Amino acid sequence: MKDKEIYFLIEHQSSVDYSMSFRLEEYKLEIMKSAIDKRKIKTKEYEIPTVIPIVVYTGKEKWKVRRKLSTVQDERLENLNLQQYNLIDINRYTKEDLLKSDKYMDKIFLIEKYENVDELRRILPKIEKQLTKEEKKDLISIIRANLKGKVGEEKVEELIKEMKGEDGDMLGCVEMVWEEGVSKGREEGRKEGRKSIISSMLKNGMSLKEIQTITKATKKEIEEAK
């Protein structure tokens, strides 16, 4: 029903298939992906197309397969709550809460909250004191990735230069990794340069989650870099 953006997914089944609820969810997503208006998807008013799945069963054995994915196997699937996603809204945490936290990712979220370079200059020494040696190594890359769009490249480089002056040995390692990746990127192309950066981060002991946060790389790209 194209005028209403409603699609009917009709699956013919001649035998009992206990994976049916999962398969239908997979098919539904593929139909929605192909039908979505990519120009409007990010707007509040846009309604994602509806897909109504129908199984036409012609087999002789009685159909005993449950019709909802969350109730198919056990409590694990039910607890996933497939009807909604979980949300961690960093806006609910104050700068003071994030600074007191002993979690590394909270320090990254804290940096993202600051849009004023002078405020960052005051808070960064406090953040650095709470980080391990390994965590400090990727601080420059994180600042570059997260703050360039907010305060401009020139301001970011000034901030990094001051940080290197305070602890050149600690931060110089990351700077070298970054420059090496950029240099290779010019010689071998953007893709190879990106892979080089990821590879260097892996060698420096950074976790998968940290690398994805900084580079926005996919798991496949990180595996290729390994």
Side-chain angles (χ1 to χ4, degrees):
M1 299 172 65
K2 291 185 179 180
D3 56 328
K4 296 183 179 180
E5 285 294 296
I6 297 175
Y7 295 78
F8 293 91
L9 162 60
I10 302 174
E11 174 73 11
H12 172 236
Q13 194 67 26
S14 59
S15 60
V16 175
D17 185 346
Y18 286 93
S19 70
M20 182 55 63
S21 55
F22 175 77
R23 285 174 54 197
L24 289 175
E25 289 297 325
E26 194 174 21
Y27 299 158
K28 280 167 63 179
L29 282 173
E30 287 301 322
I31 292 172
M32 283 189 278
K33 280 168 62 178
S34 64
I36 278 173
D37 188 330
K38 294 181 179 178
R39 296 171 298 174
K40 300 179 181 178
I41 183 65
K42 294 184 179 181
T43 62
K44 184 178 180 181
E45 296 77 18
Y46 183 72
E47 294 185 7
I48 293 175
T50 299
V51 180
I52 300 173
I54 300 169
V55 174
V56 179
Y57 176 58
T58 57
K60 294 181 179 180
E61 186 183 348
K62 188 174 180 180
W63 187 268
K64 298 179 181 179
V65 181
R66 295 184 182 181
R67 300 185 190 180
K68 191 175 180 182
L69 181 58
S70 61
T71 61
V72 167
Q73 293 183 3
D74 54 28
E75 291 181 355
R76 285 176 297 175
L77 274 176
E78 190 169 359
N79 290 336
L80 284 177
N81 197 347
L82 297 169
Q83 302 304 314
Q84 70 177 37
Y85 55 85
N86 297 302
L87 174 68
I88 300 173
D89 188 351
I90 301 305
N91 292 306
R92 294 178 57 188
Y93 301 91
T94 66
K95 293 175 182 178
E96 290 74 22
D97 290 336
L98 295 172
L99 184 59
K100 290 177 183 176
S101 170
D102 59 357
K103 295 181 176 65
Y104 174 55
M105 284 306 298
D106 284 344
K107 308 308 175 190
I108 307 226
F109 294 142
L110 178 61
I111 289 173
E112 288 187 352
K113 275 183 171 284
Y114 285 93
E115 297 186 7
N116 183 289
V117 174
D118 292 331
E119 288 182 342
L120 274 167
R121 284 193 177 103
R122 288 194 295 269
I123 200 68
L124 278 171
K126 296 180 181 179
I127 293 175
E128 289 184 68
K129 288 178 182 178
Q130 298 176 355
L131 302 180
T132 66
K133 186 176 181 180
E134 290 302 314
E135 289 169 345
K136 288 178 182 178
K137 285 182 179 180
D138 64 329
L139 196 58
I140 280 183
S141 298
I142 291 168
I143 289 174
R144 270 202 175 103
N146 293 349
L147 299 180
K148 193 177 289 185
K150 291 182 180 180
V151 302
E153 186 173 354
E154 186 177 342
K155 292 282 187 182
V156 170
E157 293 304 322
E158 284 178 9
L159 190 64
I160 290 172
K161 188 175 181 180
E162 290 177 16
M163 291 168 60
K164 287 175 67 178
E166 293 173 8
D167 195 350
D169 293 337
M170 181 269 287
L171 295 172
C173 174
V174 179
E175 182 71 2
M176 182 181 67
V177 166
W178 181 274
E179 292 301 331
E180 180 186 346
V182 171
S183 176
K184 286 190 177 181
R186 293 193 187 103
E187 295 172 7
E188 303 168 15
R190 184 176 177 182
K191 185 176 179 181
E192 287 302 313
R194 182 181 175 88
K195 190 184 292 185
S196 175
I197 291 171
I198 295 169
S199 177
S200 297
M201 288 176 171
L202 288 166
K203 288 176 182 176
N204 279 276
M206 291 176 65
S207 69
L208 176 66
K209 185 177 288 186
E210 289 167 352
I211 294 172
Q212 286 181 308
T213 299
I214 297 165
T215 65
K216 311 300 181 188
T218 63
K219 288 184 178 179
K220 184 180 179 181
E221 286 178 308
I222 295 172
E223 286 299 321
E224 287 175 354
K226 285 183 181 180

